[in-house]
Every structure is written in C-alpha cells, then in structure tokens.
Amino acid sequence: IAEGCGRSIDKAFTRFLEIALGSLYELETQYLLSCTLVGIIEDHDFRDRVNHFKASLNSLMAKLN
C-alpha cells in the first residue's frame, strides 16, 4: 500500500490496494485452514479485524474509482 501511495496515479494506487486485499483474503484462508486442519481455536477478534480491514480497503478503492 505504501508503494502504491507514492504513485501519482490513482489507478496505480488502486492496483496496490487490490493486491493488499487479495493478500488479506489469503491470510484469512490460511487462518481458517489452520483452525480446521491443525485444530487452532478460532479467535473471533481476529476475524472481526480482518473483516474491518477488508471493508476499509473496499471503501478506499470505491472512493478512488
């Protein structure tokens, strides 16, 4: 996100936000797999924070478009 923010074109910045959002979905998937396959106890606070970040990134991208 920081690298994209340094770009002068909103389209480039939006692309970096899309990459960050994709990485966030990957993190969520790996976390859920860990809970299921390894037996890690699910932390609802973690899920809430992930959902908050997803909403924030989506909102920022919508404002740039």
Side-chain angles (χ1 to χ4, degrees), residues 22 25 33 41 58:
Y25 274 102
L33 285 171
I41 297 172
N58 280 317

Side-chain angles (χ1 to χ4, degrees), residues 4 9-19 60-61 64-65:
I9 303 170
D10 284 347
K11 186 175 181 180
F13 183 41
T14 300
R15 179 67 187 130
F16 280 90
L17 293 174
E18 289 170 347
I19 292 167
L60 183 54
M61 285 188 294
L64 291 172
N65 289 331

Side-chain angles (χ1 to χ4, degrees), residues 25-45:
Y25 274 102
E26 284 185 54
L27 173 66
E28 183 178 36
T29 300
Q30 293 301 319
Y31 174 73
L32 293 173
L33 285 171
S34 297
C35 290
T36 302
L37 300 175
V38 182
I40 295 173
I41 297 172
E42 188 171 342
D43 180 0
H44 294 287
D45 185 48

